[in-house]
Amino acid sequence: MPQLDTSTWLITIASMVLTLFIMMQLKVSKHSFHSNPEPLEVKSSKHTTPWEIKWTKIYSPLSLPLQ
């Protein structure tokens, strides 16, 4: 059975990594980013939920009267 020739693998993998790096650099360089981003003013509104209005009590089994 013939041996697998791996002598060209290093240059193939290295050229693929270099090509991917260059392509990603070109893709990122085409994006335009804002130079000074400023945070937006978020208006907070108070949401009333039913459990905030209604008074509830949680009974634990130990606090219940013995039967």
Side-chain angles (χ1 to χ4, degrees), residues 19-38:
T19 305
L20 285 172
F21 177 75
I22 292 171
M23 288 176 65
M24 288 301 293
Q25 291 296 317
L26 289 172
K27 188 180 266 299
V28 168
S29 69
K30 289 183 181 178
H31 286 286
S32 61
F33 297 104
H34 296 290
S35 59
N36 189 10
E38 296 179 5

Side-chain angles (χ1 to χ4, degrees), residues 1-13:
M1 187 167 202
Q3 289 289 327
L4 183 62
D5 184 21
T6 60
S7 61
T8 59
W9 284 15
L10 179 64
I11 191 68
T12 304
I13 293 171

Side-chain angles (χ1 to χ4, degrees), residues 15-60:
S15 63
M16 282 176 28
V17 168
L18 182 65
T19 305
L20 285 172
F21 177 75
I22 292 171
M23 288 176 65
M24 288 301 293
Q25 291 296 317
L26 289 172
K27 188 180 266 299
V28 168
S29 69
K30 289 183 181 178
H31 286 286
S32 61
F33 297 104
H34 296 290
S35 59
N36 189 10
E38 296 179 5
L40 294 175
E41 294 288 329
V42 179
K43 295 179 181 177
S44 62
S45 61
K46 178 71 175 160
H47 296 287
T48 57
T49 53
W51 54 84
E52 289 177 353
I53 297 171
K54 190 196 310 186
W55 181 82
T56 57
K57 185 174 180 181
I58 300 172
Y59 292 98
S60 66

